[in-house]
Amino acid sequence: MAAYLEFEDKIKKIEEDIIIAKTKADEHAVEILEKKLEKEVEKTFKNLNDYQKLQLARHPDRPYALDYISGLLTDSYEIHGDRHYVDDHAIVCYLGYIGTQKVLVIGEQKGRGTKDKLFRNFGMPSPEGYRKALRAAKMADKFQIPILLLVDTPGAYPGIGAEERNQSEAIAKNLYEFADLTTPTISVVIGEGGSGGALAISVADKLAMMRYSVYAVISPEGCSAILWNDPAKVETAANALKITAENLKDLNLIDDVINEPLIGAHRQRDEAILALKEYFLTSLEELQKLTPAQRSQKKYEKIMNLGSFQEEK
């Protein structure tokens, strides 16, 4: 059964009316209701605020990394373990083909249902997860296999065990090593990009975000707690943080926004997967026209320009 957010109530009612009309075989009513639904979707989703986009990024029906991997890859093979400690299930690594192109996909996986969420640690990677991602990426770099990174995490796991195993060092090393890869790399925020947990697999030749994804240095809940000590200020914090794809594109912090379906990836999953596939293959074609040295130079320039600003006179 589909889950609806508060601002989707009118859409829910119309979709329920369409189901009733279809059971009655009333084709005329279905046609009228579908036109009404189309207008309501356009009216609702073209006027979303930043907090509503955050809700969509966290929507329980939104496709996760494994949904994209199963929809994108053929002849896939999973890579396990960091060869030091354990296999972190919050990060998944798959070798396979997108079309005829061999590719490595690294993604953060949140999990569905209580048992799976616990298995995936709610999509919060531990140091061994980032080390697994780096091990797989270096293997791909050795054979010049392009890498697709799928970002979707509330943040790196903050537990005592993760800190004892050097969480910050694992993230920092990924930032350093991923910046030095010579194979084409494309990172896409598919849902929630939280702090260093997201940044650890975001350093790439191209960084894009799905239309309703978010990317933030801190969650709006954390921000409202620190600044105002008031959970009611979450919406204010979400608007102030500039966490949406459009905001980050305007600030030149990301390269592209991928236009997932207007009604959201949670309602039209196949269309969202196709949009990501087309973006990846188009971007890869652009990157493959450059030499490894040219890609490294462009990556360096992009990283060095992050946070640049001009003072008004």
Side-chain angles (χ1 to χ4, degrees), residues 14 20 42 59 127 157 180 209 221 224 230 236 252 262 265:
I14 296 170
I20 292 169
E42 189 168 351
H59 198 288
Y157 183 55
D180 201 39
M209 293 175 66
E221 290 83 0
S224 63
D230 183 359
T236 303
N252 293 319
L262 182 64

Side-chain angles (χ1 to χ4, degrees), residues 4 31 55 115 119 134 180 197 225 235 244 254 261 289 293:
Y4 291 86
E31 186 179 344
Q55 289 177 296
K115 191 179 275 188
F119 181 70
L134 181 57
D180 201 39
E235 190 167 344
T244 66
I254 64 170
K289 290 177 182 176

Side-chain angles (χ1 to χ4, degrees), residues 16-27 29-31 33:
E16 287 173 348
D17 290 342
I18 289 173
I19 292 170
I20 292 169
K22 284 181 176 178
T23 59
K24 294 178 179 178
D26 190 342
E27 293 181 8
V30 170
E31 186 179 344
L33 287 166

Side-chain angles (χ1 to χ4, degrees), residues 200-218:
I201 61 166
S202 293
V203 177
D205 293 305
K206 282 209 166 194
L207 173 59
M209 293 175 66
M210 300 296 281
R211 189 206 300 254
Y212 300 130
S213 64
V214 295
Y215 198 12
V217 68
I218 188 172

Side-chain angles (χ1 to χ4, degrees), residues 11-259:
I11 292 171
K12 177 183 178 182
K13 179 67 171 65
I14 296 170
E15 288 186 340
E16 287 173 348
D17 290 342
I18 289 173
I19 292 170
I20 292 169
K22 284 181 176 178
T23 59
K24 294 178 179 178
D26 190 342
E27 293 181 8
H28 179 63
V30 170
E31 186 179 344
I32 293 171
L33 287 166
E34 284 180 344
K35 287 180 180 178
K36 185 179 178 182
L37 177 63
E38 189 177 331
K39 288 181 180 178
E40 187 59 41
V41 166
E42 189 168 351
K43 177 184 171 185
T44 301
F45 283 84
K46 282 195 172 179
N47 295 286
L48 296 174
N49 60 37
D50 290 359
Y51 182 65
Q52 289 169 331
K53 290 178 181 178
L54 172 67
Q55 289 177 296
L56 286 173
R58 295 172 171 173
H59 198 288
D61 294 334
R62 192 168 180 83
Y64 293 152
L66 285 178
D67 297 312
Y68 283 102
I69 288 169
S70 63
L72 289 170
L73 288 185
T74 57
D75 197 19
S76 62
Y77 178 84
E78 186 173 6
I79 297 169
H80 294 280
D82 68 340
R83 296 295 186 268
H84 290 283
Y85 183 66
V86 74
D87 186 24
D88 183 4
H89 304 294
I91 284 189
V92 293
C93 304
Y94 279 81
L95 270 173
Y97 290 86
I98 297 179
T100 58
Q101 175 65 58
K102 183 178 284 187
V103 62
L104 170 70
V105 183
I106 300 171
E108 292 167 319
Q109 176 68 16
K110 286 182 172 179
R112 298 191 191 281
T114 304
K115 191 179 275 188
D116 194 35
K117 284 179 179 179
L118 290 170
F119 181 70
R120 301 290 177 185
N121 200 31
F122 298 86
M124 295 185 290
S126 294
E128 47 274 14
Y130 296 119
R131 290 172 183 139
K132 174 171 72 169
L134 181 57
R135 180 177 79 83
K138 285 202 162 195
M139 180 188 67
D141 193 49
K142 180 178 180 180
F143 296 102
Q144 287 296 290
I145 299 170
I147 302 172
L148 171 62
L149 303 148
L150 302 176
V151 179
D152 190 16
T153 178
Y157 183 55
I160 292 174
E163 296 299 333
E164 287 175 342
R165 296 190 300 278
N166 299 309
Q167 180 74 285
S168 58
E169 184 274 340
I171 292 172
K173 187 169 184 181
N174 271 28
L175 300 181
Y176 179 82
E177 297 282 2
F178 272 76
D180 201 39
L181 296 178
T182 59
T183 194
T185 53
I186 297 166
S187 184
V188 180
V189 184
I190 58 173
E192 188 177 11
S195 193
L199 194 61
I201 61 166
S202 293
V203 177
D205 293 305
K206 282 209 166 194
L207 173 59
M209 293 175 66
M210 300 296 281
R211 189 206 300 254
Y212 300 130
S213 64
V214 295
Y215 198 12
V217 68
I218 188 172
S219 70
E221 290 83 0
C223 179
S224 63
I226 292 169
L227 294 184
W228 299 290
N229 195 26
D230 183 359
K233 295 279 189 180
V234 172
E235 190 167 344
T236 303
N239 292 328
L241 283 167
K242 304 296 181 187
I243 59 177
T244 66
E246 289 79 7
N247 286 330
L248 294 170
K249 178 72 172 102
D250 291 341
L251 293 168
N252 293 319
L253 294 174
I254 64 170
D255 297 298
D256 299 295
V257 178
I258 301 173
N259 284 322

